[in-house]
Amino acid sequence: MTGQQTRNNRSFARVAIVAVAMFGFGYLLVPLYDVFCEITGLNGKTGRIDEAAVVERYTPDLSRTIKVQFVANNNMGMPWKFAPVVKTMQVHPGQIYATAFTASNPTGHKMVGQAVPSVAPTKASRYFNKTECFCFNQQPLAAGETKDMPLRFIVDPNIPKDVHTLTLSYTVFDVTQVAMN
């Protein structure tokens, strides 16, 4: 083998290793990002906690009220009618609250939706915890079906004092193709 062929083989091996490493990094990026967001509370992702543990851990702060706004959005191409039952609630940190969102499938065929939550302001997302949420599971709806989907939540009493309003926003995505396979 000549010196030029040896250099070419080494270069090819390096490029192949870099390509495999880039593919692996790209493959792992989404799960790593989800873990990072859950730990830090970034990107408005909210926590899921056990309601019985909440009752023991938190003492309601009845001296303070926080306005929680509820927003519903459809991802592009999602034909459902999707809306909160109530648009706002005044809540005391440390107390459990319940509400719901309504979804309607106006199409002539069964569909499956998945709601993805986000909380603003971002710094407050780690203090908004859901004990029950329709967003934990995919939601199948038959043609023409409408259903109320429950949400139970608590705002951590340790939320910063300068936060007076939280906005919980859901975007619902059509995952019918994924769910049916």
Side-chain angles (χ1 to χ4, degrees):
M1 210 187 281
T2 67
Q4 182 64 36
Q5 286 177 322
T6 303
R7 286 192 297 271
N8 286 347
N9 288 342
R10 283 185 192 153
S11 294
F12 176 77
R14 288 179 185 148
V15 169
I17 289 170
V18 168
V20 168
M22 288 172 51
F23 176 78
F25 179 73
Y27 184 77
L28 293 174
L29 192 58
V30 172
L32 289 173
Y33 181 72
D34 286 341
V35 169
F36 175 77
C37 288
E38 184 148 337
I39 291 169
T40 64
L42 293 175
N43 195 30
K45 294 201 175 192
T46 61
R48 177 183 189 172
I49 58 175
D50 178 44
E51 193 166 306
V54 170
V55 172
E56 293 177 23
R57 188 168 70 191
Y58 294 141
T59 302
D61 181 356
L62 301 177
S63 69
R64 186 169 176 208
T65 310
I66 294 179
K67 180 180 181 179
V68 179
Q69 301 172 321
F70 302 100
V71 177
N73 300 295
N74 286 13
N75 188 42
M76 187 183 301
M78 178 55 143
W80 285 9
K81 294 177 182 164
F82 178 55
V85 171
V86 296
K87 293 188 187 271
T88 63
M89 292 176 83
Q90 296 291 332
V91 304
H92 295 291
Q95 196 166 328
I96 296 172
Y97 290 89
T99 187
F101 280 66
T102 300
S104 298
N105 177 2
T107 70
H109 58 279
K110 178 181 177 179
M111 290 185 71
V112 180
Q114 177 74 54
V116 176
S118 181
V119 173
T122 302
K123 74 176 185 176
S125 64
R126 73 180 71 201
Y127 301 97
F128 189 92
N129 297 289
K130 298 181 296 293
T131 60
E132 178 183 349
C133 183
F134 58 92
C135 64
F136 296 154
N137 302 304
Q138 295 176 345
Q139 299 296 321
L141 287 179
E145 181 182 7
T146 297
K147 75 175 174 180
D148 285 340
M149 302 179 298
L151 169 66
R152 292 178 60 83
F153 67 92
I154 185 168
V155 176
D156 187 322
N158 297 314
I159 190 167
K161 298 291 183 196
D162 64 334
V163 176
H164 305 287
T165 302
L166 288 171
T167 302
L168 176 62
S169 174
Y170 286 99
T171 302
V172 68
F173 292 83
D174 179 1
V175 295
T176 305
Q177 294 298 325
V178 175
M180 298 295 191
N181 292 331

